[in-house]
Amino acid sequence: MYPVKDIEKKWQKYWEENNTYKTADPPSKKYYILEMFPYPSGDLHVGHLRNYVVVDTIARYRLMKGFDVLHPIGWDAFGLPAENAAIEREISPKQWTVSNINLSRTSLKNMGISYDWNREILTCEPNYYRWTQWLFLLLFKKNLAYRKSAYVNWCTGCKTVLANEQVENGTCYRCHAQVIKKPLTQWFFKIGNYAERLLSDIDKLKGWPENVKTLQRNWIGKSTGVEIGFKLLGTNDILPVFTTRPDTIYGVTFLTIAPEHPLALKLAKERGNHLAEVKSYIDSSLNLSETERARIGREKEASLVTGVFTGKYAINPLSGEKVKIFIADYVSPGYGTGIIMGVPAHDSRDLVFAKKYNLPIKEVIVPEWSPELVRDKFSLNKLRTPKEAFTDEGIMVNSGPFTGKPSKQGIELIAHFVEQKGIGRRKVNYRLNDWLISRQRYWGTPIPIIHCETCGLVPDYNLPVLLPEGEIDFLPKGRSPLEDLKEFINVKCPKCGNNAKRDPDTMDTFVDSTWYYLRYIDPHNNKQMVAGKKAREWLPVDLYIGGIEHATMHLLYFRFITKVLYDEGIIPVDEPVNVLFNQGMIKDKYGQIMSSSKGNNVPIGPLVDKHGADIARLAILFIGPPEKDGIWHEESIQGVKKFLNRVYNLVEEYTRNPKFVGGTFQSRNHSIGVRKPLLYKTLNLTIKKVTEDIETFGLNTAISFLMEFVNELYKTRAPEHQSTRAPDELSTLVKLLAPFAPHLSEELWLKLGHKDSIFKQKWPSYEKIQQQTVKIAVQVNAKVRAELITKKEITKTQVQKLALDIPKVQKYIQNKEIKNVIFVPQKLINIVVGTD
């Protein structure tokens, strides 16, 4: 076994002392590569390792390709998990977070990851979060940050609010406790104002995976339709209803309102003695998650679709008919107006609801092939009750002046009609809701707003607004722990000087991660988030690697804030990343995803201590394609360990040869081009395949090609096992291996007589090798019997010697006199022999 620990310690020290990975700034040929920064919840495990090693392999490859590589690291340090873990251990969140960062930093350095550590950031440090606060104030100034009272997602475990994107199957994305609806006054970012740009600009993301783009398109959820006003019977109040099918408006037989809608409780109060029933229904509905309610909205079983009659009616503005108003939990408050029209003949869910509550079912669209249309032209106004909802396009019936029109045309006609009459308007709606960013927890970025009874909401530009430290009771109580810190909360208003109070909430940790990629570019700037010159030099990120689970949270927020900063002229790009790559998860041998919470993770530290960094790196890469989930087996270590030992032994054999002096052989007889020309073809193909595989993330197959090449090299060993390989072959092998196993490659590069770091060398070029080789036809009596791949400059004598060693040629010249040898350089050799 080669001396793993000695080699790795030696080269890690060398890299640090020589600033090998310090970023060239400004860059002449930039390549900005980034992985989603880690959350410091403990020591890193092999699930994390894959992400970092994939990125590091590509970063090192790009470095050798002549790029000025920016490869930074930081820590997503604020957030609920650290606070919850600190509560369990009865220590401060900062103490827990910093200790984990120190542990993880050591693991990453022991792995030999090529970070520019001078650019390290921690989102919990004031010199970082002052700019998160500055970003908040920018949005506030642009009227993109606002405060409102609304029903919000409330985690019963973490005792704080969550954004819609942070609720998974009715539970908290972090602690997995039940999430309920609760009325609170909260801070929101107007991401909805950017919905159309976020949607249309997805087409710009040529280097993003299609599944991520599809998830974002669906989450933004654009719908084009018409908003039509229904008058509340007996009042002048108008109930706006959004629909994408205005052609069915004559079939409306009821309206349904979301339980959170302000009108729901108002109508309940007006119902008198039925108030308790309606209020009870609203309360029970709010205990359902968005996921459960969405599922109910898709169900067709009467037992699952529920509602309660308000006792109130509305008037259909086109038919003039009176329709009942219900409250129903399947209606989302965030889509459209929170009020939808029930058209049971043409919507499956509405049909189930209508049958359950004995509501009219009025058919207003029939198929163009309908027998009634053929049999009786007057059937266009004939009422019937369909057994199933007809949801396709067809012919409008029972629709007043629009009867007989194709429904597709009817959509446009009715949209025009309601606009002309002033009872409706064309409208585009989005499923994307504004981003709720305030949290009732301690460990986060304080919101830089002061509440003054005289002046209202006042920005605090004296940044950073420091998060208090020391003896703090940060146990979750359903309100922010900062409210109890008088020295923090009580301040003077910057405008009027009167007594005022700070905002007690902290920001969602996802705000911290919307702009961190900018801070890496200019991490020590105390005057700006990022200098414009540096942003122009480095943006956008060339390659960003992380999990697909972030598609509708981080990656969407990330794009939103980038566009805000672009609009403000702070950065030159409106999309942050050119190429996005989603790595797969690492699972244990039972198929379970590795995580600290499950206790099935394999920590990096002990793994590296036992086997070494390069072996661990190759093992995690060799599992399979990095975009696919992989199963971790400790046994996978053995194969790559054997491979690296074989590489080490090849170089050792070569350098121990007595004729090896000062990095070269003294005898010309060791030219591989003469002795084994076919190896040149293998070398050429290996360079080509490894290069192509790194470019396309096929890192596991790149390692396979290196293993095959090493096998070929072993086949060329002389009988006495003294290597006769030329230095360019072994040097090329070591260069190809360098991005994967950097420590060993540096050591072998030095052994081969080279002086500077291998990462200062150029990546091998297979085109150059191809130009140096030619294919020579070997003929016997003018008939082709074999081929040779060899150097261009090879002599007639050398070619003849090689040709006579080929078994296929020997078959035709055995026991025969060679009368002549005709050689056409770089073309052919013809051996003329006597005939029997």
Side-chain angles (χ1 to χ4, degrees):
M1 183 66 192
Y2 73 92
V4 175
K5 290 187 178 181
D6 291 343
I7 288 174
E8 292 182 354
K9 286 180 181 178
K10 169 185 173 180
W11 287 104
Q12 287 167 14
K13 182 181 179 183
Y14 174 89
W15 295 332
E16 185 172 353
E17 290 177 350
N18 291 274
N19 287 315
T20 304
Y21 307 119
K22 184 177 180 180
T23 308
D25 200 359
S28 58
K29 184 183 177 184
K30 74 101 174 174
Y31 192 82
Y32 187 1
I33 185 169
L34 189 62
E35 67 263 44
M36 295 180 185
F37 63 171
Y39 192 92
S41 57
D43 192 9
L44 301 172
H45 57 72
V46 295
H48 303 115
L49 176 62
R50 185 190 217 181
N51 197 18
Y52 306 129
V53 173
V54 167
V55 175
D56 190 57
T57 301
I58 297 168
R60 291 177 179 278
Y61 164 75
R62 290 292 176 187
L63 198 62
M64 297 176 74
K65 291 285 282 185
F67 288 90
D68 295 322
V69 175
L70 173 55
H71 182 204
I73 184 63
W75 309 94
D76 192 8
F78 274 140
L80 293 175
E83 190 169 325
N84 290 340
I87 290 169
E88 290 176 12
R89 292 162 177 80
E90 297 183 348
I91 59 176
S92 74
K94 183 174 183 179
Q95 181 182 346
W96 170 251
T97 301
V98 171
S99 66
N100 286 332
I101 289 173
N102 291 336
L103 183 62
S104 297
R105 185 189 294 116
T106 299
S107 291
L108 289 175
K109 287 187 174 183
N110 288 342
M111 282 302 302
I113 307 297
S114 60
Y115 293 130
D116 181 350
W117 286 100
N118 294 314
R119 295 171 182 262
E120 182 183 15
I121 59 173
L122 279 70
T123 61
C124 65
E125 289 187 343
N127 61 4
Y128 182 90
Y129 69 69
R130 69 172 293 187
W131 298 109
T132 305
Q133 293 171 337
W134 179 89
L135 176 63
F136 178 96
L137 293 178
L138 173 66
L139 271 72
F140 184 77
K141 174 185 173 183
K142 293 171 67 70
N143 197 32
L144 292 172
Y146 67 99
R147 203 164 178 258
K148 73 171 182 179
S149 179
Y151 278 94
V152 297
N153 300 307
W154 181 262
C155 173
T156 55
C158 298
K159 290 184 169 55
T160 190
V161 298
L162 301 174
N164 287 338
E165 295 86 349
Q166 295 166 336
V167 181
E168 299 174 348
N169 298 318
T171 64
C172 172
Y173 80 115
R174 284 293 190 188
C175 74
H176 307 296
Q178 182 186 12
V179 175
I180 62 172
K181 290 289 185 180
K182 184 176 181 179
L184 286 174
T185 299
Q186 297 291 302
W187 284 99
F188 293 82
F189 285 168
K190 290 184 180 178
I191 192 172
N193 284 22
Y194 281 73
E196 182 56 38
R197 282 174 64 185
L198 288 167
L199 181 64
S200 60
D201 285 354
I202 289 175
D203 293 335
K204 293 181 181 179
L205 307 177
K206 305 299 183 184
W208 285 43
E210 284 302 322
N211 54 350
V212 173
K213 294 192 282 187
T214 298
L215 286 168
Q216 289 207 359
R217 286 190 183 100
N218 292 340
W219 191 261
I220 295 168
K222 182 178 180 179
S223 298
T224 302
V226 180
E227 188 178 281
I228 302 173
F230 283 68
K231 190 174 183 180
L232 184 62
L233 184 64
T235 73
N236 291 320
D237 295 339
I238 299 297
L239 309 182
V241 176
F242 176 77
T243 178
T244 59
R245 291 293 304 271
D247 54 318
T248 65
I249 191 166
Y250 282 87
V252 175
T253 60
F254 62 94
L255 299 182
T256 48
I257 302 176
E260 300 94 330
H261 198 290
L263 186 62
L265 196 56
K266 178 183 176 183
L267 294 178
K269 289 178 180 178
E270 293 176 359
R271 197 178 171 191
N273 59 346
H274 291 85
L275 173 61
E277 178 189 356
V278 176
K279 192 173 185 307
S280 174
Y281 180 81
I282 292 174
D283 290 343
S284 64
S285 297
L286 297 180
N287 285 329
L288 297 174
S289 69
E290 291 287 342
T291 304
E292 289 174 305
R293 289 172 62 177
R295 181 177 61 84
I296 290 169
R298 295 189 295 267
E299 289 291 345
K300 301 176 183 179
E301 294 182 19
S303 61
L304 295 175
V305 180
T306 66
V308 61
F309 179 44
T310 64
K312 297 291 185 176
Y313 294 83
I315 302 299
N316 187 322
L318 270 73
S319 70
E321 295 174 346
K322 183 173 71 172
V323 298
K324 289 184 174 182
I325 302 174
F326 283 78
I327 298 168
D329 54 20
Y330 63 78
V331 183
S332 170
Y335 179 76
T337 66
I339 308 173
I340 64 175
M341 59 188 208
V343 189
H346 305 291
D347 183 277
S348 299
R349 179 203 55 214
D350 291 350
L351 181 61
V352 172
F353 192 92
K355 288 181 177 180
K356 183 170 184 176
Y357 294 103
N358 297 315
L359 300 171
I361 301 169
K362 183 180 179 182
E363 185 178 44
V364 293
I365 307 286
V366 295
E368 293 186 23
W369 48 263
S370 174
E372 288 86 347
L373 291 177
V374 176
R375 185 172 59 249
D376 184 357
K377 65 180 181 180
F378 297 107
S379 67
L380 292 173
N381 290 311
K382 178 181 178 182
L383 286 172
R384 67 172 192 166
T385 301
K387 293 182 179 179
E388 294 183 355
F390 178 67
T391 59
D392 296 332
E393 294 177 358
I395 301 297
M396 296 177 70
V397 298
N398 304 309
S399 299
F402 305 100
T403 296
K405 301 290 185 182
S407 60
K408 188 173 183 179
Q409 182 184 357
I411 291 174
E412 179 61 29
L413 291 172
I414 291 178
H416 180 73
F417 178 82
V418 298
E419 286 186 323
Q420 289 292 99
K421 294 293 184 181
I423 55 174
R425 57 175 180 150
R426 300 169 201 266
K427 191 175 181 183
V428 175
N429 267 319
Y430 299 90
R431 181 175 177 266
L432 180 66
N433 294 320
D434 283 346
W435 177 16
L436 194 164
I437 63 97
S438 48
R439 299 290 180 268
Q440 291 67 51
R441 297 297 291 260
Y442 162 73
W443 191 235
T445 299
I447 293 175
I449 292 290
I450 292 171
H451 298 259
C452 175
E453 291 184 0
T454 304
C455 305
L457 299 176
V458 181
D460 186 352
Y461 291 106
N462 186 23
L463 303 179
V465 175
L466 293 172
L467 182 68
E469 297 182 18
E471 295 296 324
I472 296 171
D473 180 10
F474 47 83
L475 289 172
K477 303 178 179 66
R479 61 189 182 87
S480 174
L482 297 179
E483 282 191 55
D484 298 327
L485 300 177
K486 294 181 180 180
E487 65 278 14
F488 173 80
I489 286 291
N490 296 326
V491 293
K492 296 292 184 180
C493 173
K495 279 189 175 181
C496 68
N498 291 334
N499 291 334
K501 292 183 181 295
R502 291 195 183 279
D503 196 287
D505 290 348
T506 54
M507 290 187 227
D508 181 4
T509 186
F510 279 100
V511 180
D512 303 329
S513 60
T514 59
W515 69 278
Y516 78 108
Y517 73 105
L518 300 175
R519 196 59 180 169
Y520 286 138
I521 295 172
D522 200 5
H524 308 298
N525 191 333
N526 293 322
K527 297 181 179 179
Q528 297 170 281
M529 171 185 277
V530 60
K533 179 177 181 293
K534 289 186 178 291
R536 289 188 294 273
E537 289 168 349
W538 284 107
L539 293 179
V541 175
D542 294 283
L543 176 61
Y544 194 38
I545 296 184
I548 193 173
E549 67 271 16
H550 299 289
T552 57
M553 286 195 288
H554 164 63
L555 290 173
L556 197 58
Y557 303 149
F558 187 48
R559 294 181 60 221
F560 162 54
I561 293 301
T562 297
K563 292 182 184 300
V564 172
L565 295 173
Y566 170 80
D567 291 348
E568 195 66 12
I570 294 168
I571 59 176
V573 297
D574 65 349
E575 288 292 344
V577 169
N578 276 342
V579 177
L580 173 70
F581 181 81
N582 296 135
Q583 90 282 0
M585 297 286 192
I586 294 297
K587 300 178 179 180
D588 62 21
K589 60 183 179 181
Y590 303 107
Q592 296 294 313
I593 293 173
M594 282 191 181
S595 70
S596 301
S597 60
K598 292 180 180 177
N600 64 343
N601 58 318
V602 178
I604 291 178
L607 181 70
V608 173
D609 287 342
K610 182 178 180 181
H611 299 289
D614 286 347
I615 291 170
R617 289 168 65 105
L618 256 70
I620 199 71
L621 292 176
F622 200 51
I623 282 178
E627 71 275 14
K628 303 291 185 183
D629 290 349
I631 304 295
W632 173 258
H633 293 285
E634 191 76 19
E635 296 78 17
S636 61
I637 289 285
Q638 300 308 315
V640 297
K641 182 183 290 186
K642 180 181 178 182
F643 164 63
L644 291 182
N645 265 316
R646 298 185 82 208
V647 175
Y648 181 83
N649 290 336
L650 276 175
V651 176
E652 277 285 284
E653 287 177 359
Y654 177 79
T655 57
R656 284 200 303 264
N657 192 300
K659 296 180 180 180
F660 179 76
V661 179
T664 59
F665 268 101
Q666 299 305 299
S667 171
R668 297 176 66 113
N669 293 333
H670 291 87
S671 171
I672 195 71
V674 175
R675 186 176 175 280
K676 197 73 175 178
L678 288 178
L679 198 58
Y680 268 96
K681 182 177 181 180
T682 305
L683 178 62
N684 182 35
L685 287 174
T686 301
I687 296 171
K688 183 175 186 293
K689 290 294 186 181
V690 171
T691 302
E692 290 174 348
D693 282 353
I694 293 176
E695 290 281 357
T696 57
F697 304 98
L699 306 183
N700 59 315
T701 52
I703 295 170
S704 293
F705 283 114
L706 290 172
M707 290 177 170
E708 289 176 11
F709 183 57
V710 169
N711 288 339
E712 289 298 315
L713 290 175
Y714 264 86
K715 291 177 184 178
T716 67
R717 288 196 304 175
E720 67 274 16
H721 297 295
Q722 289 295 317
S723 175
T724 55
R725 276 162 217 91
D728 59 338
E729 293 175 79
L730 290 177
S731 293
T732 300
L733 168 63
V734 174
K735 282 183 180 180
L736 294 175
L737 182 63
F740 303 92
H743 307 86
L744 179 60
S745 299
E746 287 274 35
E747 183 70 11
L748 297 182
W749 185 249
L750 184 66
K751 281 180 175 292
L752 288 167
H754 305 290
K755 302 301 181 185
D756 206 356
S757 168
I758 195 169
F759 296 105
K760 303 295 183 183
Q761 314 309 312
K762 290 184 179 180
W763 186 256
S765 169
Y766 62 84
E767 291 88 359
K768 183 178 179 182
I769 292 174
Q770 285 178 322
Q771 292 168 1
Q772 291 177 343
T773 61
V774 292
K775 183 186 292 185
I776 296 177
V778 180
Q779 299 177 345
V780 177
N781 291 344
K783 291 185 178 181
V784 177
R785 300 301 183 185
E787 288 182 343
L788 283 172
I789 306 294
T790 187
K791 285 184 175 182
K792 284 183 178 181
E793 63 272 20
I794 196 166
T795 66
K796 176 182 177 180
T797 302
Q798 291 170 332
V799 174
Q800 180 176 337
K801 182 178 183 299
L802 292 169
L804 294 176
D805 286 340
I806 300 173
K808 288 183 179 179
V809 175
Q810 292 174 350
K811 175 182 176 182
Y812 294 98
I813 64 174
Q814 191 172 10
N815 301 321
K816 295 180 181 179
E817 179 186 0
I818 297 177
K819 295 188 174 183
N820 193 14
V821 176
I822 303 169
F823 178 58
V824 180
Q826 302 182 20
K827 296 282 187 180
L828 63 86
I829 186 168
N830 182 25
I831 302 170
V832 181
V833 297
T835 57
D836 294 333

